[in-house]
Amino acid sequence: MSVLASFRDSSRAAPLLERIRARETGPVALMEFCGGHTVAIFRSGIRSVLPEHIRMLSGPGCPVCVTSNMDLDRAAALAKLPGVILTTYGDMLKVPGSRESLAQVRAQGYPVEIVYSTLDALRLAGQHPDKQIVFFAIGFETTAPAAAAAVLQARARGLKNFSICSVMKLTIPGARALLDMGEVRVQGVIGPGHVSSIIGADAWRFLPDVYRVPVAISGFEPLDILASIDALLAMLEKGNADLANLYSRIVKPGGNTKAWGAVTEVFETCASSWRGFGNIPDSGLALRPQYAEYDAEHRFPIDIPDSVEHPACRCGEVLRGVIEPVDCKVFGTACTPEQPLGPCMVSSEGSCAAYYNFHQSTHTKTRHATEQ
Amino acid sequence: MCLAVPARICELRPDNMAVVDIQGTQREISLMVLDGEAAVGDYVLIHVGYAIERIDEEEALRTLELFADLSLTDEAFGSASPPLTEDDV
């Protein structure tokens, strides 16, 4: 589809930037709730070309980062059970848990397999009938349909050696929790494009309706993000809090009802523990009792020791948008992508990794801005 | 994590599977959670091995117009009344 290339046409950026600079809003803080946006914003250098009075904040939009140490420890313990092969997405491997990462567990000789898709985990289950394939499922609404589809396929095929350890989370309770805490003032939200493709743009109407915060559902090209910033500023300029869907080439008002239907068939909401937030009611996805045979927690009950956090790691505050990565004392010194102390530095979508990889030249500017 | 890439369906296979072209690379994916019938030539968005949504060319063109025309943005997002709906964007 040739039209898609136009979304990468950098000559279209200048008029958008001009519009953004001409908006008369006063100082504003806009937050994105998606790790994909965090990376796109840093990689494209959007922060450095925005006027000084527009601050971009990163919220709890990286599923790897918000996974709690307790849940990481559970995955490590599952991988050590005899006969179990733990499978998970590659992003999880290097995240430090209380005592070790899954990569370190694998280095001790326990089977931890990276999969690109739950389809690969199902294939492994077919190939190894004598092993138990446990899929450690992280992710938000975008990723949940793939986990639900795997359970439905396992049942259809009569697979008895496939189960899921779900630590999947829902973005809307997370966003509400952040706004309800009131620690950061957010005047506009860049809505997560791919989460919204599943749950629908309308799912974010609570932001303007309840919180009076405008939201722009955005795609992931730099132009998409600039247009979303402009739309938010246009609304703020006029005092008009509403929802704008700038990613209508993908996102429908009601989302993908078939995909979400699969999720709600297999999963129910549960309380979930988020790094930096603690327990948030109804923010997680757990297997329904009728799918208990595919629930790793039900099939492999294990005791895990109390989880501990690295004392110097401030990922929790980064995830709440309270501090910027550079405000953390160990950022770029004791904590680097090679030797991460916390998940925000190790995940490809983590704010700290994005700062570290793409934002070195503007550290000074950010420090200056946060000190004011 | 929510990364998703555009792809073109090249071949439909049994069990709701399809071969798609992602920027010149062929990959087998599942159509299990895609709404509606899929056909060869359709453009879809792929996330962790599953097609999760179709790509709407008309909507893409409308968004591009919005990028180029300031008055459209102000009309769609700047007016206090009537309230904005997705149909406006």
Side-chain angles (χ1 to χ4, degrees):
Chain A
M1 202 183 282
S2 59
V3 63
L4 293 181
S6 305
F7 285 89
R8 298 190 164 184
D9 174 5
S10 57
S11 71
R12 293 170 185 266
L16 281 169
L17 265 173
E18 225 168 275
R19 267 149 65 173
I20 287 172
R21 291 191 181 123
R23 300 271 180 212
E24 289 169 2
T25 57
V28 292
L30 309 177
M31 180 173 267
E32 90 271 348
F33 279 132
C34 173
H37 283 147
T38 307
V39 174
I41 288 168
F42 281 109
R43 183 180 282 151
S44 61
I46 284 179
R47 280 194 184 209
S48 56
V49 295
L50 288 177
E52 289 274 343
H53 65 276
I54 300 170
R55 266 187 84 203
M56 300 300 295
L57 303 172
S58 298
C62 157
V64 173
C65 306
V66 294
T67 302
S68 67
N69 273 7
M70 181 184 71
D71 288 333
L72 286 160
D73 297 347
R74 176 174 295 117
L78 281 168
K80 292 178 180 180
L81 290 179
V84 164
I85 299 177
L86 187 86
T87 58
T88 191
Y89 298 125
D91 292 12
M92 288 312 292
L93 263 280
K94 282 170 72 183
V95 183
S98 295
R99 290 155 203 95
E100 57 199 353
S101 67
L102 288 174
Q104 287 164 327
V105 170
R106 185 167 68 170
Q108 292 161 41
Y110 297 104
V112 178
E113 296 281 341
I114 295 174
V115 291
Y116 161 70
S117 170
T118 55
L119 297 167
D120 302 328
L122 289 173
R123 207 168 291 131
L124 272 175
Q127 288 164 351
H128 299 280
D130 54 326
K131 300 281 187 194
Q132 286 294 332
I133 310 301
V134 177
F135 179 67
F136 181 45
I138 62 150
F140 292 138
E141 292 91 334
T142 322
T143 315
V151 171
L152 295 171
Q153 289 172 88
R155 175 164 278 184
R157 291 185 209 168
L159 285 175
K160 300 291 178 204
N161 63 332
F162 175 79
S163 58
I164 283 187
C165 171
S166 171
V167 299
M168 293 187 295
K169 293 178 172 49
L170 302 172
T171 51
I172 287 181
R176 279 181 178 271
L178 184 131
L179 293 170
D180 289 342
M181 286 167 112
E183 280 180 310
V184 283
R185 183 136 185 265
V186 178
Q187 280 117 324
V189 167
I190 295 183
H194 293 147
V195 161
S196 304
S197 76
I198 304 297
I199 61 174
D202 282 348
W204 296 94
R205 284 212 176 273
F206 74 95
L207 283 172
D209 290 354
V210 180
Y211 294 90
R212 302 303 299 157
V213 172
V215 54
I217 311 294
S218 178
F220 294 85
E221 300 296 346
L223 293 177
D224 287 315
I225 295 168
L226 286 175
S228 298
I229 291 171
D230 183 50
L232 290 172
L233 296 177
M235 290 191 262
L236 289 167
E237 209 175 31
K238 301 281 194 308
N240 180 30
D242 219 323
L243 179 144
N245 181 3
L246 273 293
Y247 201 32
S248 58
R249 62 187 185 275
I250 300 288
V251 176
K252 293 183 290 206
N256 179 344
T257 49
K258 187 176 181 183
W260 195 241
V263 173
T264 54
E265 161 65 25
V266 175
F267 297 101
E268 59 189 7
T269 58
C270 63
S272 184
S273 161
W274 296 53
R275 185 183 303 271
F277 291 82
N279 243 15
I280 304 178
D282 297 321
S283 70
L285 290 173
L287 281 110
R288 289 186 184 276
Q290 58 266 42
Y291 289 96
E293 60 181 306
Y294 305 100
D295 186 350
E297 279 196 58
H298 176 80
R299 288 181 57 168
F300 309 106
I302 40 174
D303 286 326
I304 45 168
D306 286 346
S307 61
V308 287
E309 306 287 335
H310 193 287
C313 176
R314 297 181 73 185
C315 278
E317 290 156 276
V318 170
L319 290 165
R320 297 201 304 273
V322 178
I323 64 163
E324 303 236 15
V326 286
D327 300 325
C328 176
K329 272 186 186 153
V330 291
F331 173 84
T333 53
C335 184
T336 61
E338 291 74 32
Q339 293 285 331
L341 296 184
C344 299
M345 186 57 99
V346 66
S347 168
S348 56
E349 291 185 345
S351 302
C352 299
Y355 255 84
Y356 191 87
N357 291 324
F358 301 114
H359 202 58
Q360 296 283 13
S361 57
T362 41
H363 283 171
T364 336
K365 175 186 163 185
T366 314
R367 267 192 202 284
H368 179 67
T370 48
E371 276 160 15
Q372 280 180 338
Chain B
M1 184 71 222
C2 293
L3 184 73
V5 290
R8 184 179 164 277
I9 298 178
C10 305
E11 183 191 332
L12 297 175
R13 290 194 171 165
D15 297 328
N16 250 329
M17 300 295 284
V19 177
V20 295
D21 181 290
I22 304 172
Q23 291 185 331
T25 305
Q26 307 244 309
R27 177 148 220 159
E28 194 181 44
I29 57 99
S30 171
L31 299 171
M32 197 173 157
V33 298
L34 186 70
D35 221 352
E37 288 292 307
V40 170
D42 285 357
Y43 280 84
V44 290
L45 196 68
I46 309 292
H47 173 65
V48 296
Y50 292 79
I52 56 167
E53 195 48 277
R54 289 158 203 289
I55 303 170
D56 187 325
E57 188 165 14
E58 270 179 40
E59 286 293 334
L61 289 166
R62 286 175 70 183
T63 306
L64 287 172
E65 275 175 37
L66 210 69
F67 287 2
D69 191 337
L70 170 67
S71 61
L72 284 176
T73 307
D74 279 346
E75 204 178 295
F77 311 130
S79 63
S81 104
L84 180 78
T85 71
E86 286 94 82
D87 296 329
D88 293 320
V89 292

